[in-house]
Amino acid sequence: MDREQRYPTTRLRIAPGSVLALTTDGLLEAVNKDIDQGYERFLKGLRGAPTADLETVVDALLAGTQEAHGLGDDVALLLARLDKPDRRS
């Protein structure tokens, strides 16, 4: 780690109910496939995520991963939904 390195930060407002998706390239890159195709497949799989059960979305995104990617690359995936504010007072 380079302690002298400065990394830019950006502040974003994230709407309640939004889903944060973090993954490694191991999920996006399939054997003999373009990473852009994997990225598009990933985004397509996230389309219903704001209202869907996230465990179901994860299962769908990971389905076929081993066959498509082989055992040569690791895969990490995190989905998190930002809760809507509790309006009960």
Side-chain angles (χ1 to χ4, degrees):
M1 181 166 84
D2 183 357
R3 294 188 185 278
E4 300 298 318
Q5 182 66 38
R6 297 292 177 235
Y7 299 96
T9 59
T10 302
R11 290 180 183 252
L12 301 172
R13 290 193 185 269
I14 301 173
S18 295
V19 173
L20 173 67
L22 303 174
T23 190
T24 60
D25 65 343
L27 182 61
L28 304 177
E29 293 178 325
V31 177
N32 299 322
K33 300 251 177 153
D34 182 45
I35 192 169
D36 291 333
Q37 291 173 329
Y39 185 66
E40 289 299 319
R41 188 173 52 251
F42 182 68
L43 291 177
K44 183 178 177 182
L46 290 173
R47 284 196 183 120
T51 57
D53 174 65
L54 292 186
E55 191 170 338
T56 302
V57 175
V58 167
D59 289 344
L61 287 169
L62 295 178
T65 301
Q66 187 172 358
E67 295 83 20
H69 299 39
L71 298 174
D73 203 354
D74 62 327
V75 172
L77 175 62
L78 169 73
L79 298 184
R81 182 177 290 119
L82 179 65
D83 285 337
K84 294 181 181 180
D86 187 0
R87 299 281 178 183
R88 295 178 287 156
S89 306

